[in-house]
Amino acid sequence: MQRTGVLQTFAYLGIAYGIVAIAAASFMQNPPEGWKPEGWAPTAAQLSQRCDRDFTLGEALGTWQWWALCLLMSINTAAGLSIITQASPIFQEMGKATAAAAAGLVGIIAIGNGAGRIFWAWISDLTTRKTAYFLMYLVEAILFWTYHSISSLGVLAVATFILVMCYGGAYGITPAFAADYFGPRDVGSIFGLMMLPWAFAASFGPLLFAYLRQINGNYTQALYLIAGLMTVALILPILVSPPRGHKAEQPQTGDRFAVQPVPGKSS
């Protein structure tokens, strides 16, 4: 950025990301039909949280569960990005860090984004997607209610790292959540379209957070707002359940009575 400017830096990053993404994607392939890890079997709790057929994108959009998963991810995104986008000024204002130290901490907490995707996805595999989301929301609610009272830079950095892990966790859980609820066949398009309502939350949340900071002179009200939102949202993973119902099947021939023609009458 110092040598070429911000926009030119983004251009170089875009080219690099494109090369890495295309190269990595060239090695990817779908597993054989019905594949699962050797010796693995889903638990009864996991089976109870799965749909009984594959949904198309259109069918998924017609269920309230698709919109519920969008809401789960969007609320989490609005909360997480609010902290991420203000991390440096938060460290400087609340933790009394220098600009250089704050920049270094921002780089460290960014690791939490990736770590959270692995950690919370692992938790969801051990329990269920619902349980993992509930626990993640609970951790966020507790931290957001108490975040404004933290004055130690070290404690503030740890709390922020955990919040960023929770932000990343939604991207580890939700694709698997969508596969469980709508089947793996069309999960690419079903989850992919969830990124559209996500985008509104990703824009609105940080803007509101920054606006409240600007008019109040501190982050307290904004933090309380997110804490209240996360507390109310705890009900969502409890209420959500997988869609049920097989497609209508044609009756088997063996289940029908044989029809015999009556002599002297047309068949």
Side-chain angles (χ1 to χ4, degrees):
M1 283 190 289
Q2 290 178 342
R3 293 186 179 184
T4 64
V6 175
L7 296 182
Q8 194 68 26
T9 299
F10 274 120
Y12 289 143
L13 287 172
I15 294 171
Y17 293 156
I19 293 173
V20 172
I22 293 172
S26 66
F27 291 96
M28 296 180 66
Q29 59 181 343
N30 286 326
E33 186 74 23
W35 180 89
K36 63 180 182 179
E38 184 178 355
W40 175 85
T43 64
Q46 291 169 337
L47 287 174
S48 70
Q49 292 300 312
R50 293 185 178 184
C51 64
D52 48 12
R53 68 178 177 90
D54 287 299
F55 285 70
T56 64
L57 175 60
E59 290 172 332
L61 291 176
T63 67
W64 66 267
Q65 287 92 342
W66 187 88
W67 299 96
L69 294 190
C70 287
L71 189 59
L72 276 169
M73 187 168 68
S74 295
I75 289 174
N76 192 74
T77 294
L81 281 182
S82 294
I83 288 293
I84 292 172
T85 55
Q86 294 290 310
S88 181
I90 284 175
F91 289 143
Q92 294 178 63
E93 179 178 323
M94 297 175 56
K96 309 304 180 185
T98 64
L105 287 174
V106 169
I108 292 173
I109 66 168
I111 300 173
N113 187 355
R117 298 172 190 236
I118 300 171
F119 174 77
W120 286 110
W122 174 64
I123 294 296
S124 78
D125 284 341
L126 292 178
T127 57
T128 62
R129 317 303 177 200
K130 293 174 53 163
T131 302
Y133 247 113
F134 180 85
L135 293 174
M136 192 166 67
Y137 271 19
L138 181 62
V139 169
E140 290 179 279
I142 293 172
L143 287 177
F144 274 114
W145 279 119
T146 57
Y147 196 87
H148 71 283
S149 63
I150 302 174
S151 57
S152 166
L153 180 59
V155 176
L156 192 64
V158 171
T160 306
F161 187 91
I162 295 173
L163 286 173
V164 175
M165 282 186 66
C166 291
Y167 164 73
Y171 302 96
I173 300 173
T174 311
F177 216 152
D180 284 352
Y181 273 30
F182 304 108
R185 187 189 63 197
D186 295 325
V187 70
S189 59
I190 290 172
F191 172 71
L193 196 59
M194 290 179 182
M195 304 307 287
L196 184 59
W198 165 89
F200 290 101
S203 301
F204 177 74
L207 286 175
L208 178 61
F209 192 82
Y211 173 75
L212 291 175
R213 162 63 183 85
Q214 184 176 4
I215 64 174
N216 290 292
N218 57 61
Y219 291 100
T220 302
Q221 184 179 1
L223 290 167
Y224 277 157
L225 178 63
I226 297 179
L229 176 63
M230 300 308 300
T231 302
V232 174
L234 281 169
I235 193 67
L236 286 175
I238 297 175
L239 294 178
V240 73
S241 60
R244 301 293 185 185
H246 290 283
K247 292 181 179 178
E249 296 180 356
Q250 295 296 326
Q252 299 296 320
T253 304
D255 296 334
R256 300 176 181 175
F257 291 104
V259 178
Q260 299 293 335
V262 178
K265 295 185 179 181
S266 64
S267 59

